[in-house]
Amino acid sequence: MKDQFLVIGLGSMGKRRIRNLIALGFENVVGHDVRQDRCNEASAKYSIETFVDINLAFTSNEVKAFIISVPPDQHCGYMNLSIEKKIPAFIEASVVDTNFDELIELSIKSNVLLAPSCTLHFHPAIKKISEIVNKSELGKISNFLYHSGQYLPDWHSYEKVSDYYVSKKETGGGREIVPFELTWITSLLGFPQRVLGLNKKTIEIEGAETIDDTYNLLLDYGDFIFNLSVDVVSRFATRRLVINGDKKQLTWNWEDDFIRLYDPKKEEWEQIGYETISAEDGYNKNITEQMYIEEMDAFVQAISNQSDFPNSVEKDHKVLKILYAAEKSDLENTIQFL
């Protein structure tokens, strides 16, 4: 029997993770999905063995790692399976807190690596921005202003919004992107002291009638404020960042392949370029495959004990608590302390 990566869930993200592993030179990949059509598609596209019954995947393979790419509300069951079988697991972005405290305790006791996704940590622009902030090049920070906006029906142009998890209240598209962004933000800045939040449904999106499509969070870091705006109503996909420091101002628009720094002493803007590889066909041109490949490589390095994975279930849980604090702030019309 061969050591295999088992990709669990063969939808959009599962197929992406197969491509990532192939790009890294791995041919020892098998897949599982409860839908036969998705198994057939993955087998035909990537020439891999697939299983509708996950138990059969263990019969003919020595599974070395899980890649859990099912909807967020199904993560918990497969994370428990990972711990039970003592198989390290990579998990896509979380938005549902399902027994996290228990999972953390069990994973520590069993010494099983659970590696939650932190995709934007690997984006070349985010890496450059983190380097600039950590070097204090901007001086004393006053505020961060960041808008992350997309249009939900554009996510999967090949299926209706109602056909997958982003249409559900608990796992709605806008709600999911808040922790997706907060993961890189808290990696750079740590965790805020207070949270003030607003979230609501603002427009009609067919198939997503119950979700909140817009979230706004004010994060109090003591010496500065982070203003985060996330939505799935933006007809043009957007990520725009402004950081104001007392020495320089930083701006970034993911439409560009550079970061801009304004130096008031020189009264001029400096452009700091970065390179990305192309997006996969069917995806927004700015969703570079590079960050997903690097993320998968970081997981491979972690299970080989060559380096630590830059995210943990403990940190993922703390990030989700910011989301829940923001929602509670809106519901109760209060500022929430963390």
Side-chain angles (χ1 to χ4, degrees), residues 10 15 18 37-48 50:
L10 300 174
K15 290 194 288 287
I18 295 168
D37 60 329
R38 287 186 170 174
C39 286
N40 294 344
E41 181 190 20
S43 293
K45 274 191 171 183
Y46 306 113
S47 300
I48 66 168
T50 57

Side-chain angles (χ1 to χ4, degrees), residues 8 12 82 155 170 180 206 225 311 315 318 332 336:
I8 301 171
S12 175
S82 162
W155 282 20
E170 190 176 39
F180 185 77
E206 185 177 353
I225 297 169
N311 197 15
K315 182 175 182 295
K318 287 182 69 177
E332 298 182 355
Q336 295 294 309

Side-chain angles (χ1 to χ4, degrees), residues 317-331:
H317 194 198
K318 287 182 69 177
V319 166
L320 286 182
K321 287 178 180 178
I322 300 176
L323 167 65
Y324 300 152
E327 291 176 330
K328 188 175 181 181
S329 169
D330 179 77
L331 185 66

